[in-house]
Amino acid sequence: MRELNEDVLRHVVRYISSDTLDRINSCHPIFYEEWMKARYATLVFSKRDKEMKRLFEHLREPHVAMHVKHLIMRPWLVQPRTKSPRSRTENLIVRFLELLDPHYTKKKAEQRLQKRLRKDITNVTTAFQHMTKLEDYSLEWDDSRGFHPEFYKEFLAPALESWSSHLLKLSLKVPPAMLSALGHVRLPKLETLVFHFSTSALSSKDIDSQYEGFVVFVNNLKDSLSSLSLLSSNTCRELDISRMFSKLGSFPALRKVALSIPFDGAHLSDPQTFVKFLEKHRLSIKELDISATRCTPRSTPGDPEYHNWVQRIIGSLNTPFPHLSSLGLALRPLRAPLDVLIRFLDMHSSTLDTLKLTDRVLSVVDLREIFLSLSGSALIPTITSLQVKMDEFSATSLAQIALLFQDLKSLKIECAQDPSRQREVNIRKRGVTEFSANLKENHEAFRLWNLQHLAIAPSEYHWARIVEKDLMGCMPDLTITDFDV
């Protein structure tokens, strides 16, 4: 029997599902290789158990570890085993030793803890050494719990240095005390950096001191960095990223900038530092994403003007970004005038193709105000992907979007209205929903619309699946998916 050409098999294997590969991986070396790639491409180290122990044993083999492309490291807490005396004699010995040293039991527990830590570190670092093709590394600390400094001393700087020749993406959320080690790390190939601030109740002075090494680390990426994402949450009480932006240099290859902070703006007391950073990279930036999270409890009240941080940023950018194609924007404050947004969108109407507007609920009237120019034509005719938050999902609003964005291919709508109310509106009467009836009334708006992807949130809006056939009757190429797809 003639064997199939290997090039043909490599092409065929791309279309074989992972479940099928599980069954046939032993039939041919190419199937086995593809199965190994799929199985080990992304790994998560997050706990100390028998399954993880078996995985570490597999990863001791270089031909296994070489398939790991993305590693998510979530250091765990190690609990020392309590060792009770097994006999009366042993119990007497322990009591005698405690008389000689009151801290004897505590010291023995610490010794057992250190022994387990060393064993875990050895298992992990041995696996690291064999990951010769790792491209994406995430080190994630759960800041609601404690941590073992020993883990981060080994899993941060030493690990990064061992992958310096091939690491392309790095995502970090680590205890601030561990960041100083980054100052001497060089990653000449790193293109994407995602950093989560986690300062808890640290004072401003301590934050500046402990994050100094991180600033040095970022500046050392000047020749390779193309995507920078900085994120903070409401657990960072005294954080002010303004000072960090004032210390960042230039990154000639920077294409994407993302900033996410609590909506009160206290983490960016001086938005002009961020504005200057953006303007410094105006000619290279293609993607800009500014989002907001929950508010931060602070020891002292912040300046009320902090709330206008988004408005102050986009209002201060007076010169267009010539290559800006993707924009994500939190519409904060929620009742702020829309003129600043309209002006910024107008400046980039010829380049934008992806737009995401979050936080603020927009009505159909708002959409027309934002996206319809004074001449009555669409303000941004080039948009192919849109995400907005609206009061409800209706055929009327969908028709308005179709008229405003005739080239739209992907649409995500986050609905603010109570799903139970929305379901009541769409109760079927005589076999036809009100939604479907309105859809037919607006069929002219959809006649030439080639929307291909629609997602509705929250997930309770499963009724959208009910009218999927009606929607596809107007838009044959449409696919309805979950919001996060």
Side-chain angles (χ1 to χ4, degrees), residues 11-24:
H11 181 74
V12 169
V13 77
R14 298 176 188 173
Y15 302 96
I16 299 177
S17 68
S18 57
D19 291 339
T20 303
L21 273 177
D22 284 341
R23 296 194 300 269
I24 67 171

Side-chain angles (χ1 to χ4, degrees), residues 252-266:
L254 194 62
R255 301 290 181 268
K256 177 181 178 180
V257 176
L259 176 66
S260 178
I261 65 174
F263 69 79
D264 63 354

